[in-house]
Amino acid sequence: MSDLQIRIKQAVAKAAVEQIRSGMVLGLGSGSTAALMIEALGEKLRQGQLENVTAVPTSFQSQVLASRLGIPLVDLNHVEAIDLAIDGADEVDPGFQLIKGGGACHVQEKLVASAAHRFVVVVDASKLVDRLNLDFLLPMEVLPGAWALVRRRLQSMGVECELRIAQRKAGPVVTDQGNLVLDARFPGGIGDGAALERQLNSIPGVVENGLFVNLADQVLVGEATEQGIHVRTLARPDGP
């Protein structure tokens, strides 16, 4: 990651943290931009600019980082609701449909986002696309004993689909829930995310997919221009 990319991600992460208020229950996302957001939150807590904040992590990664920074954590089962969830995305289309799951954390990320009163997405401009899935594959978390069955079912629908293999260990990627991940490309990309989400989750063996539909309330976009690094705010087309 270049120094410019890091500074863009830091800018958008800090912009998101400005929305946090003392006493909130937060959802802490996963990934590189979310990690910078967690670091900025930890600094505000350390300086006393925020207090009485508790957070629900969306992955082991965010849990470890938040713990190291002294951010109080709570299990999702022990909160009635989340005031604000902040997370990144792998792709965002004009209708605020998202693809998430590049880090294989999308099951817990979707649970936290769906429990939040507000869900704010933090991305750099490269994540904005006209249509989902033309470039980034759609992840699906599947039961270990059913991955081949699910893959055959998807292939029968004309979908390109492969088991995600780990980069620095032998064998497949294993999620925090102990499941596997299939990455899929749909012919022509993804338009009606809501219909596809229902269809995929009806396949036996699929735990959850990486389509986030009707969840994001706001997207913060970091970008570099001739005038410097700026954060642009996008509101959901149909209004929150």
Side-chain angles (χ1 to χ4, degrees):
M1 189 185 306
S2 70
D3 178 65
L4 177 60
Q5 288 175 310
I6 293 172
R7 288 190 289 120
I8 291 173
K9 288 175 180 288
Q10 287 174 330
V12 74
K14 288 179 180 178
V17 170
E18 290 301 316
Q19 300 193 26
I20 298 174
R21 301 290 179 263
S22 295
M24 277 187 168
V25 177
L26 303 173
L28 300 182
S30 305
S32 59
T33 306
L36 293 169
M37 176 272 297
I38 294 171
E39 290 177 357
L41 170 61
E43 182 63 17
K44 275 188 170 274
L45 289 169
R46 188 186 68 79
Q47 293 180 357
Q49 298 176 23
L50 290 171
E51 57 185 9
N52 299 324
V53 168
T54 55
V56 179
T58 57
S59 65
F60 187 65
Q61 175 211 32
S62 56
Q63 175 187 334
V64 169
L65 178 57
S67 295
R68 179 169 63 80
L69 296 171
I71 299 172
L73 298 177
V74 63
D75 186 88
L76 182 60
N77 287 319
H78 297 142
V79 297
E80 292 186 7
I82 294 171
D83 296 301
L84 173 65
I86 303 172
D87 206 347
D90 297 298
E91 287 190 337
V92 181
D93 78 3
F96 270 38
Q97 298 184 128
L98 317 176
I99 286 183
K100 291 178 53 57
C105 307
H106 50 286
V107 170
Q108 186 70 6
E109 289 171 339
K110 190 177 283 190
L111 287 170
V112 169
S114 65
H117 292 309
R118 291 188 69 244
F119 177 36
V120 173
V121 179
V122 288
V123 296
D124 62 77
S126 69
K127 304 299 177 65
L128 302 181
V129 298
D130 292 330
R131 191 174 181 86
L132 298 179
N133 195 229
L134 295 178
D135 295 313
F136 197 89
L137 303 181
L138 177 68
M140 283 172 283
E141 185 158 333
V142 297
L143 297 174
W147 73 266
L149 177 68
V150 174
R151 184 176 67 172
R152 287 195 296 271
R153 174 75 173 271
L154 291 167
Q155 289 173 336
S156 72
M157 298 162 52
V159 178
E160 299 176 21
C161 184
E162 291 298 335
L163 183 67
R164 187 182 298 182
I165 301 299
Q167 297 299 310
R168 300 183 66 180
K169 67 175 282 291
V173 168
V174 179
T175 71
D176 288 353
Q177 289 77 31
N179 297 314
L180 305 181
V181 177
L182 290 173
D183 290 313
R185 186 186 307 280
F186 292 79
I190 297 171
D192 187 347
L196 182 59
E197 183 178 27
R198 291 190 296 269
Q199 182 182 17
L200 294 177
N201 284 351
S202 71
I203 299 174
V206 173
V207 176
E208 187 55 85
N209 67 81
L211 275 170
F212 282 52
V213 181
N214 297 324
L215 288 175
D217 296 295
Q218 184 183 72
V219 177
L220 300 179
V221 183
E223 53 193 356
T225 68
E226 293 181 356
Q227 288 73 38
I229 295 173
H230 299 279
V231 177
R232 183 158 46 105
T233 300
L234 305 180
R236 198 165 76 190
D238 58 351

